[in-house]
Amino acid sequence: RKEVEQDPGPFNVPEGATVAFNCTYSNSASQSFFWYRQDCRKEPKLLMSVYSSGNEDGRFTAQLNRASQYISLLIRDSKLSDSATYLCAVNKWYQTGANNLFFGTGTRLTVIP
Amino acid sequence: GAVVSQHPSWVICKSGTSVKIECRSLDFQATTMFWYRQFPKQSLMLMATSNEGSKATYEQGVEKDKFLINHASLTLSTLTVTSAHPEDSSFYICSAGPGEKLFFGSGTQLSVL
């Protein structure tokens, strides 16, 4: 089973729409969760962290459900500039003390005028 | 956020040559760095974990003799693709972070002719 499962989409939505992405993770011991945004041929950039209490940043809201082991990202009032691939990431701590992230496959979002 | 610098951004080389990619942490020390590979329209796949002063840890299916990793200092890790072939053409990207969050280099697009 993959560490992180994510619907690859694509999601094509009109401007102004609300869209939601979900990821499920397999390791119940995971402690840190993130959403990254990746534009074509660019590196992923951290969009926001995900907390159990929820995290909101403008039009973006991230949620964590530990019981069901999934995280979500909600984008309200979609803009053309939101078109990108959104990757969820879940951490894993190693015995060495190192920390790594496992990524979902990414969900491609296209906002249509 | 923390700054991770990666060079070069683009490499075009002939089959059989070796290519070195550098990843530097500019404003923090990184005992661990991570190397990923991403094929078109696919997710980031972890290749190996680079450990300062010791051997890298490779993910299953990644040939350590093919992808040489050196992490000689706390701010620099290098990935050398030895005897590159067209199937090695991909987007290679490194990441590191001062804490639980990871930041990415800008990536290297490798094209092997």
Side-chain angles (χ1 to χ4, degrees):
Chain A
R1 184 182 173 185
K2 290 183 179 178
E3 296 274 351
V4 183
E5 301 266 9
Q6 182 176 4
D7 181 353
F11 283 61
N12 300 314
V13 303
E15 270 187 290
T18 296
V19 61
F21 310 131
N22 291 319
C23 273
T24 57
Y25 60 94
S26 60
N27 186 353
S28 59
S30 297
Q31 297 177 351
S32 302
F33 310 88
F34 307 95
W35 282 100
Y36 283 79
R37 170 191 169 131
Q38 186 177 25
D39 293 290
C40 188
R41 294 181 179 269
K42 299 286 187 181
E43 75 277 20
K45 293 189 177 178
L46 182 63
L47 183 63
M48 58 198 311
S49 303
V50 188
Y51 307 115
S52 296
S53 57
N55 188 20
E56 185 173 322
D57 183 4
R59 299 181 292 108
F60 297 83
T61 300
Q63 292 278 0
L64 166 64
N65 185 315
R66 284 191 181 276
S68 300
Q69 294 184 205
Y70 78 82
I71 61 174
S72 64
L73 176 68
L74 182 75
I75 304 175
R76 292 181 297 277
D77 188 24
S78 299
K79 311 290 185 188
L80 295 178
S81 57
D82 294 334
S83 297
T85 297
Y86 292 84
L87 299 150
C88 59
V90 177
N91 85 311
K92 177 179 179 179
W93 289 98
Y94 293 88
Q95 290 182 344
T96 58
N99 170 49
N100 189 23
L101 288 179
F102 286 91
F103 289 87
T105 53
T107 300
R108 175 68 193 168
L109 171 66
T110 302
V111 181
I112 304 165
Chain B
V3 180
V4 177
S5 175
Q6 183 174 344
H7 295 280
S9 298
W10 289 87
V11 178
I12 301 174
C13 68
K14 292 182 179 180
S15 185
T17 59
S18 294
V19 175
K20 179 186 283 189
I21 304 170
E22 293 189 349
C23 182
R24 295 180 185 273
S25 56
L26 298 186
D27 53 358
F28 65 97
Q29 293 184 330
T31 55
T32 305
M33 292 185 175
F34 304 96
W35 287 96
Y36 298 84
R37 179 167 55 184
Q38 186 176 34
F39 291 105
K41 298 184 179 181
Q42 294 187 25
S43 185
L44 292 165
M45 296 301 296
L46 179 66
M47 297 177 67
T49 302
S50 173
N51 305 299
E52 187 269 334
S54 64
K55 292 181 179 180
T57 305
Y58 290 82
E59 296 299 304
Q60 189 173 11
V62 179
E63 300 175 56
K64 61 180 181 180
D65 295 328
K66 171 77 172 177
F67 300 98
L68 299 179
I69 291 173
N70 184 280
H71 195 151
S73 77
L74 287 171
T75 59
L76 173 65
S77 174
T78 61
L79 168 68
T80 301
V81 183
T82 62
S83 186
H85 289 93
E87 58 266 29
D88 298 323
S89 298
S90 186
F91 187 60
Y92 293 85
I93 190 164
C94 66
S95 74
E100 65 174 10
K101 295 178 182 177
L102 292 182
F103 298 88
F104 288 86
S106 55
T108 299
Q109 182 64 51
L110 171 64
S111 296
V112 185
L113 304 178

mmCIF file of all heavy atoms in Angstrom, chain B residues 3-8 20-26 28 30 32-35 50 70-71 73-79 93-96 103-106 108:
data_model
loop_
_atom_site.group_PDB
_atom_site.id
_atom_site.type_symbol
_atom_site.label_atom_id
_atom_site.label_comp_id
_atom_site.label_asym_id
_atom_site.label_seq_id
_atom_site.Cartn_x
_atom_site.Cartn_y
_atom_site.Cartn_z
ATOM 1 N N VAL B 3 16.248 28.330 2.145
ATOM 2 C CA VAL B 3 16.656 28.372 0.742
ATOM 3 C C VAL B 3 17.501 27.160 0.403
ATOM 4 O O VAL B 3 18.496 26.876 1.074
ATOM 5 C CB VAL B 3 17.441 29.658 0.437
ATOM 6 C CG1 VAL B 3 17.859 29.677 -1.032
ATOM 7 C CG2 VAL B 3 16.597 30.881 0.753
ATOM 8 N N VAL B 4 17.077 26.482 -0.641
ATOM 9 C CA VAL B 4 17.822 25.351 -1.180
ATOM 10 C C VAL B 4 18.137 25.680 -2.635
ATOM 11 O O VAL B 4 17.229 25.991 -3.416
ATOM 12 C CB VAL B 4 17.005 24.051 -1.093
ATOM 13 C CG1 VAL B 4 17.777 22.898 -1.742
ATOM 14 C CG2 VAL B 4 16.700 23.714 0.362
ATOM 15 N N SER B 5 19.395 25.619 -2.958
ATOM 16 C CA SER B 5 19.843 25.976 -4.305
ATOM 17 C C SER B 5 20.273 24.726 -5.048
ATOM 18 O O SER B 5 21.009 23.900 -4.505
ATOM 19 C CB SER B 5 21.008 26.969 -4.211
ATOM 20 O OG SER B 5 21.538 27.239 -5.486
ATOM 21 N N GLN B 6 19.857 24.596 -6.288
ATOM 22 C CA GLN B 6 20.200 23.416 -7.083
ATOM 23 C C GLN B 6 20.715 23.865 -8.446
ATOM 24 O O GLN B 6 20.141 24.737 -9.096
ATOM 25 C CB GLN B 6 18.963 22.527 -7.259
ATOM 26 C CG GLN B 6 19.220 21.232 -8.000
ATOM 27 C CD GLN B 6 18.013 20.316 -8.016
ATOM 28 O OE1 GLN B 6 17.081 20.475 -7.250
ATOM 29 N NE2 GLN B 6 18.033 19.335 -8.899
ATOM 30 N N HIS B 7 21.803 23.218 -8.864
ATOM 31 C CA HIS B 7 22.398 23.525 -10.172
ATOM 32 C C HIS B 7 22.890 22.259 -10.843
ATOM 33 O O HIS B 7 23.332 21.335 -10.158
ATOM 34 C CB HIS B 7 23.613 24.468 -9.985
ATOM 35 C CG HIS B 7 23.237 25.780 -9.449
ATOM 36 N ND1 HIS B 7 22.710 26.786 -10.222
ATOM 37 C CD2 HIS B 7 23.292 26.274 -8.184
ATOM 38 C CE1 HIS B 7 22.469 27.835 -9.454
ATOM 39 N NE2 HIS B 7 22.806 27.557 -8.226
ATOM 40 N N PRO B 8 22.848 22.185 -12.153
ATOM 41 C CA PRO B 8 22.280 23.176 -13.076
ATOM 42 C C PRO B 8 20.777 23.010 -13.205
ATOM 43 O O PRO B 8 20.223 22.040 -12.714
ATOM 44 C CB PRO B 8 22.987 22.833 -14.383
ATOM 45 C CG PRO B 8 23.191 21.348 -14.299
ATOM 46 C CD PRO B 8 23.451 21.048 -12.848
ATOM 47 N N LYS B 20 26.653 15.622 -13.141
ATOM 48 C CA LYS B 20 26.633 15.905 -11.710
ATOM 49 C C LYS B 20 25.660 17.038 -11.424
ATOM 50 O O LYS B 20 25.690 18.078 -12.067
ATOM 51 C CB LYS B 20 28.016 16.288 -11.209
ATOM 52 C CG LYS B 20 28.037 16.609 -9.694
ATOM 53 C CD LYS B 20 29.378 17.123 -9.220
ATOM 54 C CE LYS B 20 30.378 16.016 -9.065
ATOM 55 N NZ LYS B 20 31.629 16.487 -8.403
ATOM 56 N N ILE B 21 24.841 16.831 -10.412
ATOM 57 C CA ILE B 21 23.865 17.843 -9.982
ATOM 58 C C ILE B 21 24.186 18.210 -8.547
ATOM 59 O O ILE B 21 24.406 17.330 -7.711
ATOM 60 C CB ILE B 21 22.428 17.296 -10.075
ATOM 61 C CG1 ILE B 21 22.138 16.817 -11.501
ATOM 62 C CG2 ILE B 21 21.422 18.360 -9.655
ATOM 63 C CD1 ILE B 21 20.836 16.033 -11.627
ATOM 64 N N GLU B 22 24.208 19.505 -8.267
ATOM 65 C CA GLU B 22 24.530 19.979 -6.922
ATOM 66 C C GLU B 22 23.305 20.523 -6.201
ATOM 67 O O GLU B 22 22.458 21.188 -6.812
ATOM 68 C CB GLU B 22 25.586 21.081 -6.981
ATOM 69 C CG GLU B 22 26.944 20.634 -7.438
ATOM 70 C CD GLU B 22 27.979 21.736 -7.271
ATOM 71 O OE1 GLU B 22 27.589 22.884 -6.995
ATOM 72 O OE2 GLU B 22 29.179 21.429 -7.429
ATOM 73 N N CYS B 23 23.263 20.273 -4.919
ATOM 74 C CA CYS B 23 22.182 20.790 -4.084
ATOM 75 C C CYS B 23 22.802 21.419 -2.838
ATOM 76 O O CYS B 23 23.554 20.753 -2.116
ATOM 77 C CB CYS B 23 21.250 19.646 -3.683
ATOM 78 S SG CYS B 23 19.827 20.148 -2.690
ATOM 79 N N ARG B 24 22.516 22.672 -2.615
ATOM 80 C CA ARG B 24 23.094 23.396 -1.490
ATOM 81 C C ARG B 24 22.019 24.002 -0.600
ATOM 82 O O ARG B 24 21.026 24.552 -1.092
ATOM 83 C CB ARG B 24 23.994 24.538 -1.982
ATOM 84 C CG ARG B 24 25.214 24.104 -2.744
ATOM 85 C CD ARG B 24 26.041 25.306 -3.193
ATOM 86 N NE ARG B 24 27.160 24.893 -4.028
ATOM 87 C CZ ARG B 24 28.347 24.535 -3.561
ATOM 88 N NH1 ARG B 24 28.568 24.555 -2.261
ATOM 89 N NH2 ARG B 24 29.306 24.157 -4.376
ATOM 90 N N SER B 25 22.248 23.887 0.692
ATOM 91 C CA SER B 25 21.402 24.615 1.633
ATOM 92 C C SER B 25 22.114 25.927 1.923
ATOM 93 O O SER B 25 23.261 25.925 2.351
ATOM 94 C CB SER B 25 21.194 23.804 2.910
ATOM 95 O OG SER B 25 22.436 23.466 3.500
ATOM 96 N N LEU B 26 21.440 27.035 1.667
ATOM 97 C CA LEU B 26 22.125 28.321 1.721
ATOM 98 C C LEU B 26 22.066 28.997 3.088
ATOM 99 O O LEU B 26 22.957 29.772 3.438
ATOM 100 C CB LEU B 26 21.538 29.264 0.670
ATOM 101 C CG LEU B 26 21.694 28.810 -0.783
ATOM 102 C CD1 LEU B 26 21.206 29.896 -1.738
ATOM 103 C CD2 LEU B 26 23.142 28.441 -1.100
ATOM 104 N N PHE B 28 20.994 27.279 6.124
ATOM 105 C CA PHE B 28 20.904 26.350 7.246
ATOM 106 C C PHE B 28 21.807 25.163 6.952
ATOM 107 O O PHE B 28 22.216 24.944 5.806
ATOM 108 C CB PHE B 28 19.453 25.878 7.466
ATOM 109 C CG PHE B 28 18.885 25.068 6.328
ATOM 110 C CD1 PHE B 28 18.900 23.676 6.371
ATOM 111 C CD2 PHE B 28 18.338 25.694 5.221
ATOM 112 C CE1 PHE B 28 18.374 22.931 5.323
ATOM 113 C CE2 PHE B 28 17.829 24.963 4.162
ATOM 114 C CZ PHE B 28 17.850 23.571 4.213
ATOM 115 N N ALA B 30 22.316 21.142 6.727
ATOM 116 C CA ALA B 30 21.460 20.001 6.437
ATOM 117 C C ALA B 30 22.254 18.708 6.580
ATOM 118 O O ALA B 30 23.092 18.390 5.727
ATOM 119 C CB ALA B 30 20.885 20.112 5.033
ATOM 120 N N THR B 32 20.853 15.950 6.424
ATOM 121 C CA THR B 32 20.146 15.051 5.522
ATOM 122 C C THR B 32 19.541 15.843 4.365
ATOM 123 O O THR B 32 18.955 16.894 4.589
ATOM 124 C CB THR B 32 19.022 14.303 6.264
ATOM 125 O OG1 THR B 32 19.566 13.632 7.402
ATOM 126 C CG2 THR B 32 18.346 13.291 5.356
ATOM 127 N N MET B 33 19.702 15.336 3.191
ATOM 128 C CA MET B 33 19.050 15.901 2.009
ATOM 129 C C MET B 33 18.403 14.757 1.247
ATOM 130 O O MET B 33 18.808 13.601 1.390
ATOM 131 C CB MET B 33 20.051 16.633 1.114
ATOM 132 C CG MET B 33 20.611 17.907 1.720
ATOM 133 S SD MET B 33 21.681 18.771 0.536
ATOM 134 C CE MET B 33 22.063 20.250 1.454
ATOM 135 N N PHE B 34 17.421 15.081 0.458
ATOM 136 C CA PHE B 34 16.677 14.061 -0.261
ATOM 137 C C PHE B 34 16.716 14.330 -1.755
ATOM 138 O O PHE B 34 16.633 15.482 -2.194
ATOM 139 C CB PHE B 34 15.224 14.019 0.212
ATOM 140 C CG PHE B 34 15.091 13.793 1.689
ATOM 141 C CD1 PHE B 34 14.924 14.867 2.562
ATOM 142 C CD2 PHE B 34 15.161 12.518 2.218
ATOM 143 C CE1 PHE B 34 14.816 14.663 3.931
ATOM 144 C CE2 PHE B 34 15.059 12.311 3.598
ATOM 145 C CZ PHE B 34 14.887 13.380 4.445
ATOM 146 N N TRP B 35 16.812 13.263 -2.505
ATOM 147 C CA TRP B 35 16.816 13.371 -3.965
ATOM 148 C C TRP B 35 15.587 12.668 -4.521
ATOM 149 O O TRP B 35 15.297 11.512 -4.183
ATOM 150 C CB TRP B 35 18.082 12.750 -4.553
ATOM 151 C CG TRP B 35 19.304 13.580 -4.310
ATOM 152 C CD1 TRP B 35 20.213 13.437 -3.317
ATOM 153 C CD2 TRP B 35 19.726 14.714 -5.082
ATOM 154 N NE1 TRP B 35 21.181 14.403 -3.410
ATOM 155 C CE2 TRP B 35 20.912 15.201 -4.490
ATOM 156 C CE3 TRP B 35 19.226 15.354 -6.215
ATOM 157 C CZ2 TRP B 35 21.608 16.301 -4.987
ATOM 158 C CZ3 TRP B 35 19.916 16.449 -6.718
ATOM 159 C CH2 TRP B 35 21.081 16.918 -6.113
ATOM 160 N N SER B 50 20.338 11.404 1.361
ATOM 161 C CA SER B 50 21.758 11.720 1.437
ATOM 162 C C SER B 50 22.106 12.114 2.868
ATOM 163 O O SER B 50 21.481 13.001 3.443
ATOM 164 C CB SER B 50 22.035 12.902 0.485
ATOM 165 O OG SER B 50 23.343 13.363 0.609
ATOM 166 N N ASN B 70 26.978 12.043 -2.972
ATOM 167 C CA ASN B 70 28.024 12.451 -2.053
ATOM 168 C C ASN B 70 27.533 13.618 -1.217
ATOM 169 O O ASN B 70 27.021 14.604 -1.751
ATOM 170 C CB ASN B 70 29.290 12.842 -2.839
ATOM 171 C CG ASN B 70 30.432 13.180 -1.920
ATOM 172 O OD1 ASN B 70 30.507 14.283 -1.372
ATOM 173 N ND2 ASN B 70 31.325 12.240 -1.724
ATOM 174 N N HIS B 71 27.683 13.508 0.085
ATOM 175 C CA HIS B 71 27.219 14.572 0.984
ATOM 176 C C HIS B 71 28.395 14.912 1.895
ATOM 177 O O HIS B 71 28.426 14.523 3.065
ATOM 178 C CB HIS B 71 26.023 14.042 1.784
ATOM 179 C CG HIS B 71 25.237 15.114 2.481
ATOM 180 N ND1 HIS B 71 23.897 14.979 2.728
ATOM 181 C CD2 HIS B 71 25.580 16.306 2.987
ATOM 182 C CE1 HIS B 71 23.447 16.051 3.371
ATOM 183 N NE2 HIS B 71 24.457 16.863 3.527
ATOM 184 N N SER B 73 29.606 17.808 2.965
ATOM 185 C CA SER B 73 29.544 18.882 3.953
ATOM 186 C C SER B 73 28.100 19.087 4.393
ATOM 187 O O SER B 73 27.178 18.494 3.824
ATOM 188 C CB SER B 73 30.097 20.185 3.376
ATOM 189 O OG SER B 73 29.143 20.794 2.516
ATOM 190 N N LEU B 74 27.915 19.915 5.374
ATOM 191 C CA LEU B 74 26.577 20.140 5.908
ATOM 192 C C LEU B 74 25.714 21.020 5.019
ATOM 193 O O LEU B 74 24.549 21.265 5.326
ATOM 194 C CB LEU B 74 26.673 20.764 7.309
ATOM 195 C CG LEU B 74 27.134 19.809 8.401
ATOM 196 C CD1 LEU B 74 27.416 20.579 9.687
ATOM 197 C CD2 LEU B 74 26.100 18.731 8.655
ATOM 198 N N THR B 75 26.285 21.513 3.934
ATOM 199 C CA THR B 75 25.509 22.378 3.051
ATOM 200 C C THR B 75 25.502 21.924 1.604
ATOM 201 O O THR B 75 24.932 22.592 0.747
ATOM 202 C CB THR B 75 26.044 23.827 3.102
ATOM 203 O OG1 THR B 75 27.428 23.821 2.700
ATOM 204 C CG2 THR B 75 25.919 24.417 4.497
ATOM 205 N N LEU B 76 26.114 20.791 1.315
ATOM 206 C CA LEU B 76 26.215 20.385 -0.087
ATOM 207 C C LEU B 76 26.028 18.876 -0.254
ATOM 208 O O LEU B 76 26.691 18.081 0.412
ATOM 209 C CB LEU B 76 27.567 20.791 -0.669
ATOM 210 C CG LEU B 76 27.884 20.281 -2.079
ATOM 211 C CD1 LEU B 76 26.923 20.878 -3.100
ATOM 212 C CD2 LEU B 76 29.329 20.614 -2.449
ATOM 213 N N SER B 77 25.129 18.522 -1.150
ATOM 214 C CA SER B 77 24.978 17.136 -1.579
ATOM 215 C C SER B 77 25.016 17.124 -3.099
ATOM 216 O O SER B 77 24.487 18.030 -3.744
ATOM 217 C CB SER B 77 23.652 16.551 -1.086
ATOM 218 O OG SER B 77 23.445 15.248 -1.613
ATOM 219 N N THR B 78 25.658 16.102 -3.659
ATOM 220 C CA THR B 78 25.706 15.992 -5.113
ATOM 221 C C THR B 78 25.147 14.649 -5.553
ATOM 222 O O THR B 78 25.329 13.633 -4.877
ATOM 223 C CB THR B 78 27.134 16.156 -5.658
ATOM 224 O OG1 THR B 78 27.970 15.115 -5.117
ATOM 225 C CG2 THR B 78 27.712 17.505 -5.298
ATOM 226 N N LEU B 79 24.484 14.679 -6.678
ATOM 227 C CA LEU B 79 23.967 13.472 -7.319
ATOM 228 C C LEU B 79 24.631 13.364 -8.672
ATOM 229 O O LEU B 79 24.550 14.299 -9.476
ATOM 230 C CB LEU B 79 22.448 13.550 -7.486
ATOM 231 C CG LEU B 79 21.798 12.486 -8.391
ATOM 232 C CD1 LEU B 79 21.910 11.109 -7.749
ATOM 233 C CD2 LEU B 79 20.333 12.827 -8.646
ATOM 234 N N ILE B 93 15.199 16.514 -8.503
ATOM 235 C CA ILE B 93 15.024 17.621 -7.567
ATOM 236 C C ILE B 93 15.454 17.197 -6.168
ATOM 237 O O ILE B 93 15.240 16.056 -5.777
ATOM 238 C CB ILE B 93 13.566 18.105 -7.591
ATOM 239 C CG1 ILE B 93 13.396 19.404 -6.828
ATOM 240 C CG2 ILE B 93 12.596 17.056 -7.096
ATOM 241 C CD1 ILE B 93 12.093 20.094 -7.147
ATOM 242 N N CYS B 94 16.085 18.117 -5.472
ATOM 243 C CA CYS B 94 16.541 17.819 -4.122
ATOM 244 C C CYS B 94 15.699 18.601 -3.116
ATOM 245 O O CYS B 94 15.055 19.591 -3.469
ATOM 246 C CB CYS B 94 18.013 18.161 -3.947
ATOM 247 S SG CYS B 94 18.378 19.918 -4.064
ATOM 248 N N SER B 95 15.734 18.163 -1.892
ATOM 249 C CA SER B 95 15.050 18.899 -0.844
ATOM 250 C C SER B 95 15.785 18.747 0.472
ATOM 251 O O SER B 95 16.517 17.768 0.684
ATOM 252 C CB SER B 95 13.596 18.435 -0.692
ATOM 253 O OG SER B 95 13.541 17.169 -0.058
ATOM 254 N N ALA B 96 15.584 19.709 1.316
ATOM 255 C CA ALA B 96 16.165 19.689 2.655
ATOM 256 C C ALA B 96 15.395 20.695 3.492
ATOM 257 O O ALA B 96 14.651 21.526 2.969
ATOM 258 C CB ALA B 96 17.655 20.041 2.613
ATOM 259 N N PHE B 103 12.093 22.056 1.969
ATOM 260 C CA PHE B 103 12.098 23.013 0.879
ATOM 261 C C PHE B 103 12.885 22.413 -0.274
ATOM 262 O O PHE B 103 13.813 21.633 -0.069
ATOM 263 C CB PHE B 103 12.693 24.344 1.349
ATOM 264 C CG PHE B 103 11.890 24.978 2.440
ATOM 265 C CD1 PHE B 103 12.139 24.669 3.770
ATOM 266 C CD2 PHE B 103 10.876 25.853 2.145
ATOM 267 C CE1 PHE B 103 11.383 25.232 4.790
ATOM 268 C CE2 PHE B 103 10.109 26.436 3.159
ATOM 269 C CZ PHE B 103 10.364 26.111 4.479
ATOM 270 N N PHE B 104 12.484 22.802 -1.462
ATOM 271 C CA PHE B 104 13.033 22.169 -2.639
ATOM 272 C C PHE B 104 13.992 23.072 -3.393
ATOM 273 O O PHE B 104 13.834 24.300 -3.415
ATOM 274 C CB PHE B 104 11.901 21.763 -3.590
ATOM 275 C CG PHE B 104 11.097 20.607 -3.087
ATOM 276 C CD1 PHE B 104 10.034 20.806 -2.223
ATOM 277 C CD2 PHE B 104 11.428 19.316 -3.460
ATOM 278 C CE1 PHE B 104 9.293 19.742 -1.753
ATOM 279 C CE2 PHE B 104 10.692 18.241 -2.983
ATOM 280 C CZ PHE B 104 9.629 18.458 -2.136
ATOM 281 N N GLY B 105 14.966 22.442 -4.010
ATOM 282 C CA GLY B 105 15.743 23.139 -5.009
ATOM 283 C C GLY B 105 14.874 23.359 -6.231
ATOM 284 O O GLY B 105 13.760 22.832 -6.323
ATOM 285 N N SER B 106 15.388 24.113 -7.171
ATOM 286 C CA SER B 106 14.596 24.463 -8.351
ATOM 287 C C SER B 106 14.523 23.330 -9.371
ATOM 288 O O SER B 106 13.816 23.439 -10.368
ATOM 289 C CB SER B 106 15.149 25.729 -9.004
ATOM 290 O OG SER B 106 16.524 25.557 -9.296
ATOM 291 N N THR B 108 16.443 19.997 -11.690
ATOM 292 C CA THR B 108 17.318 19.872 -12.862
ATOM 293 C C THR B 108 16.622 19.020 -13.897
ATOM 294 O O THR B 108 16.290 17.863 -13.640
ATOM 295 C CB THR B 108 18.660 19.217 -12.484
ATOM 296 O OG1 THR B 108 19.326 20.022 -11.514
ATOM 297 C CG2 THR B 108 19.539 19.040 -13.719
#
